[in-house]
Amino acid sequence: MLASLKRRDQRARGEWYIEGLLSVQGRKSMRALAAVAGYGAAEQSLHHFISDSSWRWTPVRQALAKNLDRVLLPQAWVLNSMAIPKAGEHSVGVEESFRTELGRVVNSQQAYGVWLAGEDMSAPVNWGLVLPADWLANEERRKRAKIPDEVSATTPELCAVNSVVELAGPDWGLRRRPAVLDARELDAAVLVEEFCRRGVPFVMRVSGSTRLVGFDGSLPGRGERVFQAQQLIEWAKRFSRPVGWVDPDYSITRSILVSGTRVTMPTVRRPGAKLPPERALALVGGWSGAKGKPAELWLSNLVDVPPVALLRLGRLTRRVAKDFAEVSGRVGMRDFEGRSYAGWHRHATLCSVAHAISVLSTARRQGFDKSQELSA
């Protein structure tokens, strides 16, 4: 994974850092990571390696992604939001806002990771950090965080889309997979427009209040009108069918009722702008029982894919959430103490390598144990 680092001393420090992420218990402070190297100057050396060195993180991420694409045979690229609480105001991109995953208003950074995911395991390979406009407009803060001139402010929606689009580039050499994400706290209309404009297949979870255009046979003409997603999928419930999926928390197969319908998203034309083309979408609902409201709603531009397959792709977000909580947290994904833009990206990159080592090692051990059982 570190072959792109041209200097031997950089590769050595990278190995120290990753070894520390995998072996140090508790918070992965620079001092704790340096203790793995075994001598006093290691802390300053590692700090420089992460925050002020010249090595580029993108080639490391590309090498990691190519390896995992071959080994994991992922079904999707899952986008996962990560809030990183911070005590001060100097960490790059930090702002005070409500974070759903933390359940409170908190001073934090917000990032999006792109994970290669299958039903059995997942691992992050690319990261985008949300940079609010107010943050980048402050020249002093921008200079202190060493944010490159070409980096511009990003909304959460554009940060998520751009992180996926990078993976689709020719330098990454990956097989294209649909982007899967929970968009209930994001602007679904913006995401649909951006993904469709850039030719990215997607499956996104939306809230019941999401406005969509559906068909109402009681209306004259084409019978089209704007509904809430909840209303549309309730109508389609009579066509539902059961489907099995693997629950990552228990590694057992569960059953859920699934139904789908064709929709479009209402578009608003700004004065003087052309009306965007109408795009057909699929809306899929999943019920845990025959009665009650759907447990989840998924919107996709993969209109020719059966609803059952779309829901199974959507459920990969649960696989990623479990692996993030159990593995990424353990290897220190939220523990970077520095303040620089490059330092954050380098730390996230090496944490991704540590995460991959951890999940693949666990899978190999479990495979060995299983083969021993069969042999016995």
PDB file of all heavy atoms in Angstrom, residues 152-183:
ATOM      1  N   SER A 152     -11.934  24.303  -2.871  1.00  0.00           N
ATOM      2  CA  SER A 152     -13.024  25.255  -2.664  1.00  0.00           C
ATOM      3  C   SER A 152     -14.019  24.714  -1.654  1.00  0.00           C
ATOM      4  O   SER A 152     -13.977  23.543  -1.268  1.00  0.00           O
ATOM      5  CB  SER A 152     -13.730  25.548  -3.987  1.00  0.00           C
ATOM      6  OG  SER A 152     -14.236  24.357  -4.560  1.00  0.00           O
ATOM      7  N   ALA A 153     -14.926  25.577  -1.227  1.00  0.00           N
ATOM      8  CA  ALA A 153     -15.940  25.177  -0.257  1.00  0.00           C
ATOM      9  C   ALA A 153     -16.849  24.100  -0.840  1.00  0.00           C
ATOM     10  O   ALA A 153     -17.123  24.087  -2.042  1.00  0.00           O
ATOM     11  CB  ALA A 153     -16.765  26.391   0.159  1.00  0.00           C
ATOM     12  N   THR A 154     -17.315  23.195   0.014  1.00  0.00           N
ATOM     13  CA  THR A 154     -18.179  22.119  -0.445  1.00  0.00           C
ATOM     14  C   THR A 154     -19.360  21.951   0.512  1.00  0.00           C
ATOM     15  O   THR A 154     -19.190  22.027   1.730  1.00  0.00           O
ATOM     16  CB  THR A 154     -17.437  20.772  -0.516  1.00  0.00           C
ATOM     17  OG1 THR A 154     -16.818  20.508   0.744  1.00  0.00           O
ATOM     18  CG2 THR A 154     -16.395  20.773  -1.612  1.00  0.00           C
ATOM     19  N   THR A 155     -20.531  21.718  -0.054  1.00  0.00           N
ATOM     20  CA  THR A 155     -21.677  21.336   0.749  1.00  0.00           C
ATOM     21  C   THR A 155     -21.571  19.837   1.049  1.00  0.00           C
ATOM     22  O   THR A 155     -20.823  19.120   0.374  1.00  0.00           O
ATOM     23  CB  THR A 155     -22.978  21.601  -0.007  1.00  0.00           C
ATOM     24  OG1 THR A 155     -22.999  20.776  -1.195  1.00  0.00           O
ATOM     25  CG2 THR A 155     -23.097  23.068  -0.404  1.00  0.00           C
ATOM     26  N   PRO A 156     -22.304  19.337   2.034  1.00  0.00           N
ATOM     27  CA  PRO A 156     -22.285  17.893   2.270  1.00  0.00           C
ATOM     28  C   PRO A 156     -22.667  17.090   1.030  1.00  0.00           C
ATOM     29  O   PRO A 156     -22.071  16.032   0.759  1.00  0.00           O
ATOM     30  CB  PRO A 156     -23.306  17.710   3.404  1.00  0.00           C
ATOM     31  CG  PRO A 156     -23.268  19.003   4.142  1.00  0.00           C
ATOM     32  CD  PRO A 156     -23.059  20.052   3.084  1.00  0.00           C
ATOM     33  N   GLU A 157     -23.646  17.581   0.256  1.00  0.00           N
ATOM     34  CA  GLU A 157     -24.079  16.855  -0.938  1.00  0.00           C
ATOM     35  C   GLU A 157     -22.961  16.770  -1.972  1.00  0.00           C
ATOM     36  O   GLU A 157     -22.683  15.690  -2.521  1.00  0.00           O
ATOM     37  CB  GLU A 157     -25.310  17.529  -1.554  1.00  0.00           C
ATOM     38  CG  GLU A 157     -26.582  17.420  -0.745  1.00  0.00           C
ATOM     39  CD  GLU A 157     -26.661  18.428   0.406  1.00  0.00           C
ATOM     40  OE1 GLU A 157     -25.790  19.330   0.477  1.00  0.00           O
ATOM     41  OE2 GLU A 157     -27.571  18.300   1.239  1.00  0.00           O
ATOM     42  N   LEU A 158     -22.296  17.886  -2.262  1.00  0.00           N
ATOM     43  CA  LEU A 158     -21.220  17.873  -3.258  1.00  0.00           C
ATOM     44  C   LEU A 158     -20.000  17.108  -2.762  1.00  0.00           C
ATOM     45  O   LEU A 158     -19.312  16.456  -3.545  1.00  0.00           O
ATOM     46  CB  LEU A 158     -20.835  19.305  -3.627  1.00  0.00           C
ATOM     47  CG  LEU A 158     -21.844  20.069  -4.491  1.00  0.00           C
ATOM     48  CD1 LEU A 158     -21.357  21.482  -4.759  1.00  0.00           C
ATOM     49  CD2 LEU A 158     -22.091  19.332  -5.803  1.00  0.00           C
ATOM     50  N   CYS A 159     -19.747  17.164  -1.462  1.00  0.00           N
ATOM     51  CA  CYS A 159     -18.634  16.400  -0.900  1.00  0.00           C
ATOM     52  C   CYS A 159     -18.868  14.909  -1.120  1.00  0.00           C
ATOM     53  O   CYS A 159     -17.950  14.173  -1.526  1.00  0.00           O
ATOM     54  CB  CYS A 159     -18.501  16.705   0.592  1.00  0.00           C
ATOM     55  SG  CYS A 159     -17.130  15.852   1.406  1.00  0.00           S
ATOM     56  N   ALA A 160     -20.096  14.457  -0.883  1.00  0.00           N
ATOM     57  CA  ALA A 160     -20.427  13.047  -1.072  1.00  0.00           C
ATOM     58  C   ALA A 160     -20.295  12.642  -2.536  1.00  0.00           C
ATOM     59  O   ALA A 160     -19.676  11.626  -2.871  1.00  0.00           O
ATOM     60  CB  ALA A 160     -21.835  12.771  -0.559  1.00  0.00           C
ATOM     61  N   VAL A 161     -20.868  13.450  -3.431  1.00  0.00           N
ATOM     62  CA  VAL A 161     -20.827  13.127  -4.864  1.00  0.00           C
ATOM     63  C   VAL A 161     -19.392  13.121  -5.381  1.00  0.00           C
ATOM     64  O   VAL A 161     -18.979  12.197  -6.093  1.00  0.00           O
ATOM     65  CB  VAL A 161     -21.694  14.123  -5.664  1.00  0.00           C
ATOM     66  CG1 VAL A 161     -21.503  13.903  -7.165  1.00  0.00           C
ATOM     67  CG2 VAL A 161     -23.161  13.961  -5.292  1.00  0.00           C
ATOM     68  N   ASN A 162     -18.627  14.140  -5.028  1.00  0.00           N
ATOM     69  CA  ASN A 162     -17.253  14.231  -5.534  1.00  0.00           C
ATOM     70  C   ASN A 162     -16.393  13.058  -5.063  1.00  0.00           C
ATOM     71  O   ASN A 162     -15.526  12.578  -5.803  1.00  0.00           O
ATOM     72  CB  ASN A 162     -16.615  15.544  -5.076  1.00  0.00           C
ATOM     73  CG  ASN A 162     -17.219  16.755  -5.763  1.00  0.00           C
ATOM     74  OD1 ASN A 162     -17.812  16.636  -6.833  1.00  0.00           O
ATOM     75  ND2 ASN A 162     -17.102  17.918  -5.149  1.00  0.00           N
ATOM     76  N   SER A 163     -16.631  12.581  -3.838  1.00  0.00           N
ATOM     77  CA  SER A 163     -15.857  11.453  -3.323  1.00  0.00           C
ATOM     78  C   SER A 163     -16.103  10.189  -4.140  1.00  0.00           C
ATOM     79  O   SER A 163     -15.188   9.380  -4.343  1.00  0.00           O
ATOM     80  CB  SER A 163     -16.211  11.203  -1.854  1.00  0.00           C
ATOM     81  OG  SER A 163     -15.896  12.331  -1.060  1.00  0.00           O
ATOM     82  N   VAL A 164     -17.346  10.013  -4.620  1.00  0.00           N
ATOM     83  CA  VAL A 164     -17.668   8.858  -5.451  1.00  0.00           C
ATOM     84  C   VAL A 164     -17.125   9.030  -6.865  1.00  0.00           C
ATOM     85  O   VAL A 164     -16.564   8.094  -7.452  1.00  0.00           O
ATOM     86  CB  VAL A 164     -19.197   8.634  -5.498  1.00  0.00           C
ATOM     87  CG1 VAL A 164     -19.567   7.619  -6.570  1.00  0.00           C
ATOM     88  CG2 VAL A 164     -19.694   8.162  -4.145  1.00  0.00           C
ATOM     89  N   VAL A 165     -17.287  10.226  -7.416  1.00  0.00           N
ATOM     90  CA  VAL A 165     -16.844  10.480  -8.790  1.00  0.00           C
ATOM     91  C   VAL A 165     -15.350  10.234  -8.930  1.00  0.00           C
ATOM     92  O   VAL A 165     -14.878   9.742  -9.962  1.00  0.00           O
ATOM     93  CB  VAL A 165     -17.216  11.918  -9.216  1.00  0.00           C
ATOM     94  CG1 VAL A 165     -16.560  12.281 -10.544  1.00  0.00           C
ATOM     95  CG2 VAL A 165     -18.729  12.057  -9.332  1.00  0.00           C
ATOM     96  N   GLU A 166     -14.569  10.552  -7.906  1.00  0.00           N
ATOM     97  CA  GLU A 166     -13.128  10.300  -7.951  1.00  0.00           C
ATOM     98  C   GLU A 166     -12.841   8.818  -8.196  1.00  0.00           C
ATOM     99  O   GLU A 166     -11.947   8.469  -8.977  1.00  0.00           O
ATOM    100  CB  GLU A 166     -12.477  10.740  -6.639  1.00  0.00           C
ATOM    101  CG  GLU A 166     -12.291  12.244  -6.502  1.00  0.00           C
ATOM    102  CD  GLU A 166     -11.548  12.598  -5.235  1.00  0.00           C
ATOM    103  OE1 GLU A 166     -10.860  11.715  -4.672  1.00  0.00           O
ATOM    104  OE2 GLU A 166     -11.663  13.747  -4.783  1.00  0.00           O
ATOM    105  N   LEU A 167     -13.593   7.943  -7.538  1.00  0.00           N
ATOM    106  CA  LEU A 167     -13.358   6.502  -7.694  1.00  0.00           C
ATOM    107  C   LEU A 167     -13.625   6.028  -9.114  1.00  0.00           C
ATOM    108  O   LEU A 167     -13.043   5.044  -9.565  1.00  0.00           O
ATOM    109  CB  LEU A 167     -14.257   5.713  -6.735  1.00  0.00           C
ATOM    110  CG  LEU A 167     -13.608   5.260  -5.428  1.00  0.00           C
ATOM    111  CD1 LEU A 167     -13.290   6.463  -4.558  1.00  0.00           C
ATOM    112  CD2 LEU A 167     -14.520   4.297  -4.693  1.00  0.00           C
ATOM    113  N   ALA A 168     -14.514   6.717  -9.815  1.00  0.00           N
ATOM    114  CA  ALA A 168     -14.873   6.307 -11.173  1.00  0.00           C
ATOM    115  C   ALA A 168     -13.833   6.743 -12.199  1.00  0.00           C
ATOM    116  O   ALA A 168     -13.919   6.373 -13.374  1.00  0.00           O
ATOM    117  CB  ALA A 168     -16.241   6.877 -11.548  1.00  0.00           C
ATOM    118  N   GLY A 169     -12.827   7.516 -11.788  1.00  0.00           N
ATOM    119  CA  GLY A 169     -11.804   7.996 -12.708  1.00  0.00           C
ATOM    120  C   GLY A 169     -10.900   6.877 -13.210  1.00  0.00           C
ATOM    121  O   GLY A 169     -10.741   5.842 -12.555  1.00  0.00           O
ATOM    122  N   PRO A 170     -10.264   7.065 -14.363  1.00  0.00           N
ATOM    123  CA  PRO A 170      -9.430   6.011 -14.953  1.00  0.00           C
ATOM    124  C   PRO A 170      -8.213   5.639 -14.121  1.00  0.00           C
ATOM    125  O   PRO A 170      -7.719   4.505 -14.203  1.00  0.00           O
ATOM    126  CB  PRO A 170      -9.017   6.611 -16.306  1.00  0.00           C
ATOM    127  CG  PRO A 170      -9.162   8.101 -16.133  1.00  0.00           C
ATOM    128  CD  PRO A 170     -10.313   8.280 -15.200  1.00  0.00           C
ATOM    129  N   ASP A 171      -7.702   6.563 -13.308  1.00  0.00           N
ATOM    130  CA  ASP A 171      -6.515   6.266 -12.509  1.00  0.00           C
ATOM    131  C   ASP A 171      -6.789   5.254 -11.396  1.00  0.00           C
ATOM    132  O   ASP A 171      -5.850   4.639 -10.876  1.00  0.00           O
ATOM    133  CB  ASP A 171      -5.952   7.554 -11.899  1.00  0.00           C
ATOM    134  CG  ASP A 171      -5.384   8.494 -12.956  1.00  0.00           C
ATOM    135  OD1 ASP A 171      -5.065   8.004 -14.056  1.00  0.00           O
ATOM    136  OD2 ASP A 171      -5.274   9.701 -12.688  1.00  0.00           O
ATOM    137  N   TRP A 172      -8.053   5.113 -11.010  1.00  0.00           N
ATOM    138  CA  TRP A 172      -8.368   4.194  -9.928  1.00  0.00           C
ATOM    139  C   TRP A 172      -8.488   2.758 -10.430  1.00  0.00           C
ATOM    140  O   TRP A 172      -8.251   1.814  -9.688  1.00  0.00           O
ATOM    141  CB  TRP A 172      -9.663   4.623  -9.223  1.00  0.00           C
ATOM    142  CG  TRP A 172      -9.478   5.859  -8.400  1.00  0.00           C
ATOM    143  CD1 TRP A 172      -9.321   7.136  -8.862  1.00  0.00           C
ATOM    144  CD2 TRP A 172      -9.397   5.942  -6.980  1.00  0.00           C
ATOM    145  NE1 TRP A 172      -9.159   8.006  -7.821  1.00  0.00           N
ATOM    146  CE2 TRP A 172      -9.207   7.312  -6.653  1.00  0.00           C
ATOM    147  CE3 TRP A 172      -9.481   5.017  -5.952  1.00  0.00           C
ATOM    148  CZ2 TRP A 172      -9.086   7.741  -5.337  1.00  0.00           C
ATOM    149  CZ3 TRP A 172      -9.375   5.448  -4.638  1.00  0.00           C
ATOM    150  CH2 TRP A 172      -9.169   6.800  -4.337  1.00  0.00           C
ATOM    151  N   GLY A 173      -8.903   2.563 -11.671  1.00  0.00           N
ATOM    152  CA  GLY A 173      -8.959   1.226 -12.257  1.00  0.00           C
ATOM    153  C   GLY A 173      -9.949   0.288 -11.589  1.00  0.00           C
ATOM    154  O   GLY A 173      -9.705  -0.920 -11.503  1.00  0.00           O
ATOM    155  N   LEU A 174     -11.081   0.812 -11.110  1.00  0.00           N
ATOM    156  CA  LEU A 174     -12.062  -0.004 -10.414  1.00  0.00           C
ATOM    157  C   LEU A 174     -13.237  -0.357 -11.316  1.00  0.00           C
ATOM    158  O   LEU A 174     -13.594   0.408 -12.214  1.00  0.00           O
ATOM    159  CB  LEU A 174     -12.597   0.734  -9.171  1.00  0.00           C
ATOM    160  CG  LEU A 174     -11.567   1.234  -8.164  1.00  0.00           C
ATOM    161  CD1 LEU A 174     -12.267   1.906  -6.994  1.00  0.00           C
ATOM    162  CD2 LEU A 174     -10.693   0.091  -7.672  1.00  0.00           C
ATOM    163  N   ARG A 175     -13.845  -1.490 -11.047  1.00  0.00           N
ATOM    164  CA  ARG A 175     -15.094  -1.831 -11.724  1.00  0.00           C
ATOM    165  C   ARG A 175     -16.201  -0.949 -11.166  1.00  0.00           C
ATOM    166  O   ARG A 175     -16.320  -0.797  -9.947  1.00  0.00           O
ATOM    167  CB  ARG A 175     -15.421  -3.319 -11.510  1.00  0.00           C
ATOM    168  CG  ARG A 175     -14.470  -4.258 -12.235  1.00  0.00           C
ATOM    169  CD  ARG A 175     -14.572  -5.658 -11.700  1.00  0.00           C
ATOM    170  NE  ARG A 175     -14.036  -5.749 -10.342  1.00  0.00           N
ATOM    171  CZ  ARG A 175     -13.915  -6.887  -9.674  1.00  0.00           C
ATOM    172  NH1 ARG A 175     -14.297  -8.024 -10.228  1.00  0.00           N
ATOM    173  NH2 ARG A 175     -13.415  -6.896  -8.449  1.00  0.00           N
ATOM    174  N   ARG A 176     -17.011  -0.374 -12.038  1.00  0.00           N
ATOM    175  CA  ARG A 176     -18.045   0.553 -11.598  1.00  0.00           C
ATOM    176  C   ARG A 176     -19.096  -0.170 -10.772  1.00  0.00           C
ATOM    177  O   ARG A 176     -19.548  -1.250 -11.115  1.00  0.00           O
ATOM    178  CB  ARG A 176     -18.696   1.234 -12.808  1.00  0.00           C
ATOM    179  CG  ARG A 176     -17.754   2.088 -13.643  1.00  0.00           C
ATOM    180  CD  ARG A 176     -17.326   3.327 -12.877  1.00  0.00           C
ATOM    181  NE  ARG A 176     -18.414   4.263 -12.698  1.00  0.00           N
ATOM    182  CZ  ARG A 176     -18.744   5.218 -13.561  1.00  0.00           C
ATOM    183  NH1 ARG A 176     -18.060   5.359 -14.697  1.00  0.00           N
ATOM    184  NH2 ARG A 176     -19.732   6.041 -13.323  1.00  0.00           N
ATOM    185  N   ARG A 177     -19.495   0.469  -9.686  1.00  0.00           N
ATOM    186  CA  ARG A 177     -20.531  -0.042  -8.802  1.00  0.00           C
ATOM    187  C   ARG A 177     -21.499   1.094  -8.480  1.00  0.00           C
ATOM    188  O   ARG A 177     -21.123   2.267  -8.524  1.00  0.00           O
ATOM    189  CB  ARG A 177     -19.916  -0.575  -7.503  1.00  0.00           C
ATOM    190  CG  ARG A 177     -19.021  -1.798  -7.687  1.00  0.00           C
ATOM    191  CD  ARG A 177     -19.832  -3.024  -8.043  1.00  0.00           C
ATOM    192  NE  ARG A 177     -19.032  -4.238  -8.122  1.00  0.00           N
ATOM    193  CZ  ARG A 177     -18.529  -4.739  -9.240  1.00  0.00           C
ATOM    194  NH1 ARG A 177     -18.733  -4.099 -10.395  1.00  0.00           N
ATOM    195  NH2 ARG A 177     -17.834  -5.861  -9.237  1.00  0.00           N
ATOM    196  N   PRO A 178     -22.744   0.774  -8.126  1.00  0.00           N
ATOM    197  CA  PRO A 178     -23.678   1.846  -7.748  1.00  0.00           C
ATOM    198  C   PRO A 178     -23.279   2.484  -6.426  1.00  0.00           C
ATOM    199  O   PRO A 178     -22.745   1.808  -5.538  1.00  0.00           O
ATOM    200  CB  PRO A 178     -25.025   1.118  -7.635  1.00  0.00           C
ATOM    201  CG  PRO A 178     -24.674  -0.312  -7.414  1.00  0.00           C
ATOM    202  CD  PRO A 178     -23.392  -0.551  -8.143  1.00  0.00           C
ATOM    203  N   ALA A 179     -23.521   3.791  -6.312  1.00  0.00           N
ATOM    204  CA  ALA A 179     -23.300   4.497  -5.058  1.00  0.00           C
ATOM    205  C   ALA A 179     -24.534   4.312  -4.180  1.00  0.00           C
ATOM    206  O   ALA A 179     -25.663   4.516  -4.631  1.00  0.00           O
ATOM    207  CB  ALA A 179     -23.054   5.977  -5.310  1.00  0.00           C
ATOM    208  N   VAL A 180     -24.319   3.938  -2.926  1.00  0.00           N
ATOM    209  CA  VAL A 180     -25.407   3.692  -1.982  1.00  0.00           C
ATOM    210  C   VAL A 180     -25.201   4.597  -0.775  1.00  0.00           C
ATOM    211  O   VAL A 180     -24.087   4.691  -0.247  1.00  0.00           O
ATOM    212  CB  VAL A 180     -25.442   2.217  -1.546  1.00  0.00           C
ATOM    213  CG1 VAL A 180     -26.541   1.988  -0.512  1.00  0.00           C
ATOM    214  CG2 VAL A 180     -25.649   1.302  -2.752  1.00  0.00           C
ATOM    215  N   LEU A 181     -26.267   5.285  -0.338  1.00  0.00           N
ATOM    216  CA  LEU A 181     -26.132   6.183   0.797  1.00  0.00           C
ATOM    217  C   LEU A 181     -27.471   6.430   1.465  1.00  0.00           C
ATOM    218  O   LEU A 181     -28.531   6.238   0.857  1.00  0.00           O
ATOM    219  CB  LEU A 181     -25.531   7.527   0.373  1.00  0.00           C
ATOM    220  CG  LEU A 181     -26.396   8.473  -0.481  1.00  0.00           C
ATOM    221  CD1 LEU A 181     -25.902   9.905  -0.310  1.00  0.00           C
ATOM    222  CD2 LEU A 181     -26.366   8.076  -1.945  1.00  0.00           C
ATOM    223  N   ASP A 182     -27.415   6.843   2.727  1.00  0.00           N
ATOM    224  CA  ASP A 182     -28.585   7.304   3.466  1.00  0.00           C
ATOM    225  C   ASP A 182     -28.653   8.815   3.303  1.00  0.00           C
ATOM    226  O   ASP A 182     -27.811   9.539   3.828  1.00  0.00           O
ATOM    227  CB  ASP A 182     -28.458   6.919   4.939  1.00  0.00           C
ATOM    228  CG  ASP A 182     -29.725   7.203   5.735  1.00  0.00           C
ATOM    229  OD1 ASP A 182     -30.507   8.075   5.307  1.00  0.00           O
ATOM    230  OD2 ASP A 182     -29.930   6.562   6.781  1.00  0.00           O
ATOM    231  N   ALA A 183     -29.660   9.294   2.557  1.00  0.00           N
ATOM    232  CA  ALA A 183     -29.753  10.724   2.236  1.00  0.00           C
ATOM    233  C   ALA A 183     -30.889  11.411   2.984  1.00  0.00           C
ATOM    234  O   ALA A 183     -31.329  12.492   2.585  1.00  0.00           O
ATOM    235  CB  ALA A 183     -29.946  10.907   0.730  1.00  0.00           C
TER     236      ALA A 183
END
